[in-house]
Amino acid sequence: MTTSNLVPTLAIIILMTTNCSSNHREFGKAPSGETVELYTLKNAGGMEADISTYGGVVVALKVPDRTGALGDVVLGFDDFQGYLLPPPYFGALIGRYGNRIAHAKFTLDGVEYHLAKNDGDNSLHGGKRGFDKVLWKAKPGNGQSLELTYLSQDGEEGYPGNLSVTVVYTLSDNNELKIDYTATTDKDTVLNLTNHSYFNLAGQGEGDILAHQLTLNADRYTPVDKGLIPTGELRGVEGTPFDFRQPHAIGERIGSSDEQIVLGGGYDHNFILNRTGDGLSLAARVTEAKSGRVMEVLTTEPAIQFYTGNFLDGTIHGKGGKVYGRRSALCLETQHYPDSPNHPDFPSTELKPGATYHTTTVYRFSTGS
Ligand code: GLA
């Protein structure tokens, strides 16, 4: 190689290195001392998603408003330390079991399994150290996707089977954040994976979400007891504050004296999606008038947890020092029904060796008038 072409070659190498390293950086240190990375996915339109290898957390999601200005529409922390505090589960991957399992136990193949109790007498979102608190192995794609893998050992948090989990985040040029979940096991087990992003389409920390308009493609939901465990009934939404088949402001009926609204402290319920076939189908649509942002949720899952951030109380200071008050965000967690392992009549959450668990959820952003 002559010196005359060495210079351009070096320039290319430097450029390549800068490009590769520019899409991830050190975010912090996990309690184990291992380095936590933060990856930035970026699409052709400039939309961005920051994803942490700790918890697979969507730390930031920057989405254009109707003027094209980017705004971060998810709650979270600038500083990694925030994610080590007791969790509201901001942006995290949830497993092995999204939502609650009553009395933290279930029976499978005649064996009773005991889980960690981390929500009164119940197990919530995978237990004391769920998938939101583990370090995932990352394999970046082309700058618009990130593959995360985690091997959950047999007996972890009380669940049977060595479970190999892969989650792929992809940011499309159509402003969609797609999440693909895949898992296999070497023993019969139960599984219900989801993502726990808290959305505020006006921008994180920009007030409450009561004026957001919501449509949910659900004729029925699962009423809960005072521990927020499904009673087993599948109840029609007709004539109740749970009827979002036509768009309604979230705040319109949230103060209702409906027993279920009172038990949930607002909305914190599993809606059963109207669906045909097993492909991606539209579950929810949220619009926010000031920004013009629209979010649609599509999923292969049978249900969705609609949660209005009722437990947020203003004690958490998030990104940019914003105070996260009650109902300052909403969650739309695609899932199987809570406590399914104790409800044989609910769609099954069992996974057997030789079978592959695979679900997909898409958060699609656009703007309206
Ligand atoms: C889920 C549950 C809520 C609450 C949050 C986390 O959405 O349904 O009851 O536990 O997670 O705070």
Side-chain angles (χ1 to χ4, degrees):
M1 188 182 291
T2 63
T3 15
S4 60
N5 60 16
L6 181 63
V7 175
T9 310
L10 279 177
I12 288 167
I13 292 172
I14 291 167
L15 254 178
M16 283 172 61
T17 327
T18 329
N19 262 342
C20 292
S21 60
S22 68
N23 73 1
H24 76 282
R25 65 173 174 88
E26 183 173 334
F27 191 32
K29 295 276 183 228
S32 62
E34 291 163 280
T35 301
V36 178
E37 304 282 354
L38 188 70
Y39 282 84
T40 299
L41 312 182
K42 209 170 184 167
N43 75 3
M47 180 175 159
E48 275 182 39
D50 288 347
I51 293 155
S52 154
T53 53
Y54 182 85
V57 170
V58 178
V59 170
L61 191 59
K62 294 177 189 153
V63 177
D65 68 8
R66 70 158 72 78
T67 71
L70 290 181
D72 187 354
V73 297
V74 292
L75 272 51
F77 301 102
D78 291 319
D79 184 355
F80 173 66
Q81 294 304 313
Y83 292 99
L84 297 175
L85 299 171
Y89 304 94
F90 288 154
L93 292 178
I94 302 294
R96 293 189 187 191
Y97 201 95
N99 217 280
R100 293 173 175 80
I101 295 186
H103 310 299
K105 61 179 184 189
F106 64 93
T107 301
L108 185 62
D109 304 330
V111 180
E112 189 169 272
Y113 292 96
H114 291 262
L115 310 171
K117 293 185 177 179
N118 62 334
D119 185 65
D121 193 39
N122 304 321
S123 182
L124 174 68
H125 293 331
K128 293 204 164 107
R129 186 168 172 267
F131 291 176
D132 59 300
K133 294 181 199 69
V134 304
L135 199 58
W136 294 70
K137 255 200 204 99
K139 196 165 123 202
N142 56 357
Q144 291 191 210
S145 71
L146 181 70
E147 181 186 287
L148 297 173
T149 52
Y150 177 66
L151 181 69
S152 174
Q153 304 285 339
D154 186 13
E156 193 173 295
E157 294 295 316
Y159 289 93
N162 288 297
L163 186 79
S164 167
V165 190
T166 301
V167 175
V168 181
Y169 284 104
T170 309
L171 192 57
S172 79
D173 285 335
N174 300 324
N175 287 357
E176 296 164 329
L177 180 67
K178 178 164 80 136
I179 316 178
D180 276 299
Y181 305 85
T182 309
T184 52
T185 181
D186 62 1
K187 238 189 219 176
D188 288 6
T189 193
V190 296
L191 186 61
N192 189 25
L193 303 176
T194 192
N195 174 280
H196 210 309
S197 287
Y198 283 68
F199 297 98
N200 185 323
L201 298 187
Q204 64 91 21
E206 297 297 317
D208 65 46
I209 44 74
L210 298 178
H212 285 46
Q213 296 270 333
L214 172 70
T215 315
L216 279 176
N217 187 15
D219 289 343
R220 294 174 302 166
Y221 75 107
T222 50
V224 290
D225 65 17
K226 60 179 183 340
L228 299 180
I229 298 288
T231 59
E233 181 191 347
L234 312 182
R235 190 178 289 176
V237 297
E238 180 87 47
T240 77
F242 293 84
D243 192 347
F244 282 96
R245 292 173 297 180
Q246 298 299 319
H248 283 271
I250 290 171
E252 185 187 321
R253 300 163 295 179
I254 205 166
S256 138
S257 56
D258 179 287
E259 181 218 19
Q260 284 296 316
I261 291 278
V262 174
L263 283 171
Y267 296 99
D268 192 354
H269 294 80
N270 173 64
F271 285 74
I272 301 171
L273 297 170
N274 303 333
R275 50 173 314 132
T276 48
D278 53 11
L280 272 178
S281 92
L282 185 69
R285 186 168 198 270
V286 188
T287 61
E288 197 280 316
K290 273 189 254 154
S291 65
R293 290 193 185 96
V294 177
M295 179 175 81
E296 288 171 321
V297 186
L298 297 95
T299 188
T300 59
E301 287 280 24
I304 198 163
Q305 185 80 12
F306 171 45
Y307 169 59
T308 40
N310 311 310
F311 293 121
L312 297 175
D313 59 6
T315 53
I316 295 178
H317 292 218
K319 289 179 278 191
K322 299 277 187 177
V323 174
Y324 295 152
R326 190 155 192 244
R327 298 176 179 157
S328 56
L330 63 100
C331 300
L332 287 163
E333 304 152 66
T334 55
Q335 61 183 11
H336 272 57
Y337 310 176
D339 199 29
S340 294
N342 293 310
H343 289 271
D345 47 332
F346 284 178
S348 174
T349 50
E350 285 178 32
L351 180 67
K352 292 186 180 298
T356 302
Y357 172 101
H358 185 220
T359 71
T360 303
T361 292
V362 172
Y363 293 95
R364 180 196 284 158
F365 295 88
S366 58
T367 52
S369 49

